[in-house]
Amino acid sequence: MSLRKSKITIALAGNPNSGKTTIFNKITGERQHVGNYAGVTVEKEDGECQHNGVDIHVVDLPGTYSLTAFSLEELIARHFIIDDKPDVIVDILDASNIERNLYLATQLMELNIPLVLVLNMSDTAKLHGIEFDLKLLSELLGAPIVTTIGHKGKGIDEILDAVISVAEGKTGAHGIKMNLGRDIEKQINNIQALIESENKLVEKYSPRWLAIKLLENDEEIHQEDWSDDILAATEKGAKRIEAVLGDSPEIIIADRRYGVISGACQEAVRLTVEARHTYSDKIDEVLTNRILGLPIFFVMMYIVFQLTFAFGEIPVGWIETCFAFLGNSISYLWPNGSDSLLLSMLVDGIIGGVGGVIVFVPNIFLLFLAIAILEDTGYMARAAFNMDRLMHKIGLHGKSFIPMLVGFGCSVPAIMATRTLENRKDRLITMLIVPLMSCGARLPIYTLFIPAFFPQAWQAPVLWLIYLIGILVAVVLAKLLRVLVFKGESSAFVMELPPYRIPTLKGVLVHVWERTWLYLRKAGTIILGISIVMWALSTFPQKTVYDFDHDAISEQATNDYFSAVKSLNPLIDLSSESTVLVDAIRAEYDMSQEQQSYHPFEDGFKLAYQKQNETIEQLIQSEEGKPLENFIKIRKKISSIRYNFETSIENNELEKDSTQYLLLDQDKDHALDAIEKSNPAIYQTVVKYLDDIKYPYDEKIAKIDQAIHSEEMTYSIAGRIGKGIEPVLKPLGFNWKIGTALIGAFAAKEVFVAQLGIVYSLGETNEQSNALRKKLRKDFTPLAAFCIMIFCLISAPCMATIAITRQESGSWKWAMLQLGGLTLVAYILTLVIYQSGLLLGIGI
Ligand code: GDP
Ligand code: MG
């Protein structure tokens, strides 16, 4: 048996003329005066009744629209509720005018007293063509709902049943905690904390309610004896809200309450006849229309993306240039011979790492600008409303959709965009799965692998399939997280629809700046640290003894180079014994060797150049100087023609068979022909020198450098980890080189391709590298290539994402769950794909 209170007190509240007195009389059998004009019941009336053996004390409060301190009726109602603390408040609503009547309900909810909502005048509502989804509405508002027809006594017993059930704690009825918006909640939290620390009045009033009333400038509450701190915080908060949102707190808070009502009614109340009135409702008829709503939303999102990623590209380019310039300048000014490790840490580690994060600032700024405008106008609430139904099916909230969409650009701003989600569980789920939306930085990986392994016709479908797999995994994981980790609380939420308003410039800028600053601060702290760690991993331990004697190999190549040069002698009328040509080339070689130990601004740099010129000049003056002079002159001409051709192709990004390309190619050939005609023998020799001797030699030297780099990479911790995890990666079809590149990918997904280039000894590579593709084809099957891409998509998001998840979730726990969980999922999925591919013989 449940513990029964011998007597419970209920208070009837409601707007004037909602039928309170009529219901009071039906309940108590008393005959109060029933009037149909406002203000008849100024004094509260008492009555008694018995229902199912429970004594009920009933109080009829004066009719009010609100609970402010503006009128006597409102104060009487408020004082009774606060001072006498009835067990249950019964709010009588005129169902034919539900939105306006619910306003009082939103304020009653703030008082923390169980609430039963009565939809009276349900006959009139029906006549007006209003239909209620009572179950949903009750769920959305967090209170039981009873429908009645007061003057006919219909539903009176149900009211009493509900009251008793609530009073006995069988039915939850505390209403919802109203979210008043980011800016206001922040101020409320401030003031609330101060109130709690002073511990005054809090026995009687809830601190949150007091804070709201102070912000609303409630006359009665303001007259209480507040400390200067609280008054100052209130004034500052109110000013701040006014500056950011463009209206006083009372108005904004009222808007938010109407937003909750509007959102709840949009979902659970259907008007079949009556037209809706306000301009916000009119706009909503279009923007949240069942048919038009989604297409409009997608167009809006397309515009936002365009703005974020297309316009952002320009300033992103500037920032990239700035960081490259900074890195180069530091290398340039670095004193020769002093600690080059420190330089490498500064340039490759810190500037490279932090720069890679700061580079996203323009995107982030623009994205948040668009979001701030959409939020501040009220459109974002509608967008979320439109997506809600769809998102609920996968266990998420409508508002999760925006971060997920943003995730296709970059996970970092996407995770920050989860801030619009007020419910923590929804927010965490969204944060954890956002990295599965394949971000822009992963695209280079796909564009490297797909053309290398798949025929033209398959390329687009494979890319599409990869994106689709990301989305599907996200959907499944969201469901799983909801069922396993974030149990319950997936119940319906009110999607607030506050009235549209024109955003203030200051408000938009403040919101954009708050978020951008958070991002920048992260770049300066967490990312800085991780960058240094990543740099150290790929630098230490340093290799001192190499597997190959690179110096000897390079010396051999240089010797071969000079003897090849000497073999050109007969072609330009030099005796085969003559050394002028070789000496001249050696002078050039010596010059470039010597210059490497100087900065261009140092004297030695210029001196080396002078020395070379003097030597060559002397050689030209010698007996056999004439052919050499011609050789050098023509070489200079040919080199500059080729150079000009190549740079204009590159600068204008010309396609190989475009008209412009062909024209330039023609011009080049004409110019070269003219030179050939003037001196065919020397021309032929120069071309032979450049193409058959010089370029292959340069390439060989570059390869040696890369081989050194590759050896160092293999020797470093990152390389060893790659080797170490190779047995684990083997079943996925990966080798250690992929493992090492994956470590780089953790720093930033873009790094994967560059790192792969390094371990494959190709030096600087990008996703367009055909040489790298050739090597990859040797090592992998199309199946393995597909698996590599899937693994890159799903596994550990980049460190910037982990860092931002840590920051936004407030704990490393979630960041680590994201890191470990996604990697595990990636592993299992890739393993299944690879092994079944092998079994079925697909793509091998
Ligand atoms: P109060 O101001 O909230 O106390 O409202 P009253 O009890 O004085 O009722 C106002 C008017 O509404 C009276 O004329 C009632 O007869 C009428 N009324 C009360 N309940 C209903 C109802 O459910 N349907 C209809 N059509 N009229 C009602
Ligand atoms: Mg009355």
Side-chain angles (χ1 to χ4, degrees), residues 507-523:
V508 169
L509 290 181
V510 163
H511 291 151
V512 174
W513 174 244
E514 276 173 358
R515 291 169 172 174
T516 312
W517 171 238
L518 268 174
Y519 182 80
L520 277 170
R521 205 174 57 185
K522 176 199 62 155

Side-chain angles (χ1 to χ4, degrees), residues 259-539:
V260 169
I261 296 167
S262 197
C265 290
Q266 189 93 330
E267 288 194 57
V269 181
R270 222 153 68 91
L271 301 176
T272 50
V273 182
E274 193 189 340
R276 312 183 71 196
H277 297 299
T278 67
Y279 70 99
S280 276
D281 288 339
K282 286 225 175 78
I283 302 175
D284 276 344
E285 270 172 33
V286 180
L287 293 186
T288 63
N289 183 290
R290 265 164 205 267
I291 298 157
L292 287 177
L294 278 184
I296 293 174
F297 171 61
F298 287 121
V299 170
M300 290 275 202
M301 282 302 121
Y302 180 78
I303 295 169
V304 168
F305 267 81
Q306 203 58 16
L307 180 77
T308 306
F309 293 101
F311 290 153
E313 212 172 285
I314 304 159
V316 163
W318 295 337
I319 294 180
E320 270 172 350
T321 314
C322 279
F323 273 95
F325 176 76
L326 188 65
N328 288 337
S329 306
I330 291 179
S331 318
Y332 183 81
L333 294 169
W334 201 259
N336 271 307
S338 57
D339 198 349
S340 65
L341 254 185
L342 191 62
L343 174 68
S344 156
M345 185 181 89
L346 261 177
V347 175
D348 302 333
I350 296 178
I351 295 179
V354 174
V357 172
I358 297 212
V359 135
F360 292 120
V361 165
N363 294 136
I364 292 202
F365 181 86
L366 287 168
L367 179 78
F368 286 153
L369 180 70
I371 290 185
I373 293 172
L374 290 180
E375 271 185 343
D376 289 5
T377 51
Y379 179 73
M380 219 42 136
R382 275 74 188 178
F385 188 92
N386 288 336
M387 285 308 299
D388 197 45
R389 217 169 294 263
L390 213 65
M391 297 301 285
H392 265 307
K393 295 215 168 79
I394 61 168
L396 281 173
H397 198 253
K399 291 179 186 174
S400 303
F401 189 70
I402 289 132
M404 285 169 75
L405 210 61
V406 173
F408 286 112
C410 174
S411 304
V412 171
I415 285 169
M416 293 178 74
T418 60
R419 292 178 170 214
T420 50
L421 284 149
E422 283 107 10
N423 179 277
R424 185 164 162 81
K425 289 182 179 181
D426 286 334
R427 191 166 174 222
L428 281 172
I429 295 179
T430 312
M431 228 183 266
L432 294 178
I433 60 155
V434 149
L436 291 166
M437 306 298 118
S438 185
C439 70
R442 287 162 170 125
L443 199 57
I445 303 176
Y446 311 145
T447 47
L448 170 71
F449 277 91
I450 291 180
F453 289 93
F454 299 93
Q456 187 82 43
W458 281 88
Q459 292 179 7
V462 169
L463 187 64
W464 178 82
L465 186 64
I466 287 170
Y467 275 83
L468 191 71
I469 287 178
I471 297 168
L472 288 178
V473 173
V475 169
V476 172
L477 283 188
K479 264 262 182 231
L480 278 178
L481 283 171
R482 174 65 79 194
V483 174
L484 298 176
V485 186
F486 302 102
K487 284 177 210 131
E489 228 179 285
S490 70
S491 58
F493 281 97
V494 177
M495 308 282 301
E496 301 100 338
L497 291 178
Y500 289 97
R501 48 171 61 241
I502 296 172
T504 64
L505 182 67
K506 176 149 188 201
V508 169
L509 290 181
V510 163
H511 291 151
V512 174
W513 174 244
E514 276 173 358
R515 291 169 172 174
T516 312
W517 171 238
L518 268 174
Y519 182 80
L520 277 170
R521 205 174 57 185
K522 176 199 62 155
T525 51
I526 304 175
I527 301 287
L528 182 71
I530 303 183
S531 297
I532 296 174
V533 171
M534 288 307 299
W535 168 82
L537 284 183
S538 54
T539 308

Side-chain angles (χ1 to χ4, degrees), residues 791-813:
F791 194 83
C792 283
L793 163 68
I794 302 173
S795 69
C798 69
M799 66 176 185
T801 305
I802 298 295
I804 202 82
T805 301
R806 146 81 185 87
Q807 180 190 300
E808 296 293 303
S809 67
S811 94
W812 278 111
K813 186 175 88 182

Side-chain angles (χ1 to χ4, degrees), residues 20-22 33 35 40-41 60:
K20 268 192 309 22
T21 306
T22 310
H33 178 75
V40 167
T41 326
D60 185 19

Side-chain angles (χ1 to χ4, degrees), residues 647-808:
T647 44
S648 40
I649 298 296
E650 215 168 279
N651 291 345
N652 300 313
E653 291 175 14
L654 298 179
E655 294 289 336
K656 224 180 175 118
D657 34 34
S658 67
T659 346
Q660 245 183 317
Y661 182 98
L662 295 174
L663 279 175
L664 283 172
D665 196 39
Q666 226 170 34
D667 287 350
K668 180 196 71 177
D669 287 344
H670 281 313
L672 291 176
D673 283 349
I675 299 170
E676 183 168 17
K677 263 193 207 120
S678 69
N679 198 336
I682 299 221
Y683 174 86
Q684 300 288 350
T685 315
V686 168
V687 170
K688 190 173 161 58
Y689 163 73
L690 287 177
D691 294 347
D692 299 348
I693 301 171
K694 175 84 167 106
Y695 293 160
Y697 168 69
D698 287 348
E699 227 165 86
K700 215 183 270 172
I701 294 296
K703 276 223 180 91
I704 292 169
D705 279 347
Q706 288 150 14
I708 292 173
H709 205 120
S710 170
E711 268 196 40
E712 288 170 348
M713 188 74 221
T714 318
Y715 195 71
S716 72
I717 298 175
R720 290 170 197 217
I721 295 176
K723 286 256 189 207
I725 59 177
E726 190 172 34
V728 184
L729 295 178
K730 264 260 154 64
L732 309 182
F734 302 176
N735 59 16
W736 74 270
K737 292 173 177 171
I738 298 291
T740 305
L742 281 173
I743 295 166
F746 175 61
K749 292 279 170 185
E750 298 94 322
V751 178
F752 185 84
V753 172
Q755 198 90 332
L756 212 52
I758 291 171
V759 284
Y760 270 101
S761 313
L762 290 165
E764 289 277 304
T765 39
N766 57 39
E767 66 273 17
Q768 306 296 342
S769 170
N770 280 316
L772 182 53
R773 288 196 181 123
K774 230 190 250 165
K775 293 213 170 193
L776 289 172
R777 266 198 295 268
K778 243 192 253 159
D779 277 7
F780 302 104
T781 58
L783 174 65
F786 185 75
C787 288
I788 291 169
M789 290 188 282
I790 291 297
F791 194 83
C792 283
L793 163 68
I794 302 173
S795 69
C798 69
M799 66 176 185
T801 305
I802 298 295
I804 202 82
T805 301
R806 146 81 185 87
Q807 180 190 300
E808 296 293 303

Side-chain angles (χ1 to χ4, degrees), residues 181-195 208 211-212 214-215 230 232-242 244-245 249 253 514:
R182 203 154 24 99
D183 301 285
I184 293 179
E185 288 292 338
K186 205 160 127 191
Q187 303 305 333
I188 290 177
N189 287 342
N190 269 348
I191 300 169
Q192 195 179 331
L194 288 174
I195 292 174
R208 180 178 163 86
I212 294 174
L214 278 174
L215 270 179
I230 290 179
T234 305
E235 194 172 330
K236 212 173 126 218
K239 278 216 176 98
R240 170 100 184 154
I241 289 168
E242 184 133 17
V244 169
L245 299 172
I253 291 174
E514 276 173 358

